[in-house]
Amino acid sequence: MTENKMETIITELVVNGGDARGKALGAIKAARDNDMDKAEELMEECNEALLKAHNFQTSFIQETLASDEETPASLLMVHGQDHLMDAMVVRDLAAEMIEMYKMIHSLSEKTL
């Protein structure tokens, strides 16, 4: 794999991972504000960004395994993977928090 292609993949991991994380955090805020339609929309956008990042990650893994060349681990690749994993954790927690906010808003409407 060329260095340029590896840099492209790393950039896509960082950009799409960061975008997904931001969308998930935005979805939590929307749910807190009781805008569940916006929360769902942002979570869908989050999942789309994660899918893009995952596809780049998968192509990197497949090319690495198919190559006879040794692919050295780089700090930049670790950074890219870190962004992706962080985004995945934030997405999972956001989904749980949105469900909590749905319950909270539903209960507060019943007590009014």
Side-chain angles (χ1 to χ4, degrees):
M1 176 179 308
T2 67
E3 188 173 327
N4 189 37
K5 185 164 187 173
M6 191 173 202
E7 286 176 4
T8 299
I9 289 171
I10 293 166
T11 300
E12 291 295 332
L13 291 177
V14 170
V15 168
N16 287 300
D19 188 40
R21 183 179 182 276
K23 299 288 185 184
L25 292 172
I28 293 169
K29 183 180 181 329
R32 185 179 66 220
D33 295 340
N34 203 16
D35 188 349
M36 297 306 165
D37 290 337
K38 182 69 172 176
E40 286 181 29
E41 177 186 324
L42 288 167
M43 287 299 286
E44 286 177 25
E45 292 174 14
C46 169
N47 286 326
E48 290 169 12
L50 281 175
L51 181 60
K52 286 180 191 176
H54 176 73
N55 288 339
F56 277 98
Q57 180 190 47
T58 300
S59 71
F60 171 74
I61 291 168
Q62 289 174 339
E63 286 185 40
T64 300
L65 292 175
S67 175
D68 291 335
E69 297 175 26
E70 188 172 318
T71 305
S74 75
L75 183 57
L76 286 177
M77 180 53 79
V78 171
H79 180 63
Q81 292 292 334
D82 185 47
H83 270 270
L84 177 57
M85 296 306 298
D86 181 46
M88 292 170 76
V89 169
V90 171
R91 187 257 330 253
D92 293 345
L93 289 173
E96 291 299 319
M97 290 182 76
I98 290 167
E99 290 304 312
M100 285 188 333
Y101 277 121
K102 285 179 183 177
M103 286 187 248
I104 290 167
H105 291 301
S106 174
L107 289 172
S108 69
E109 288 171 4
K110 289 179 182 178
T111 60
L112 293 178

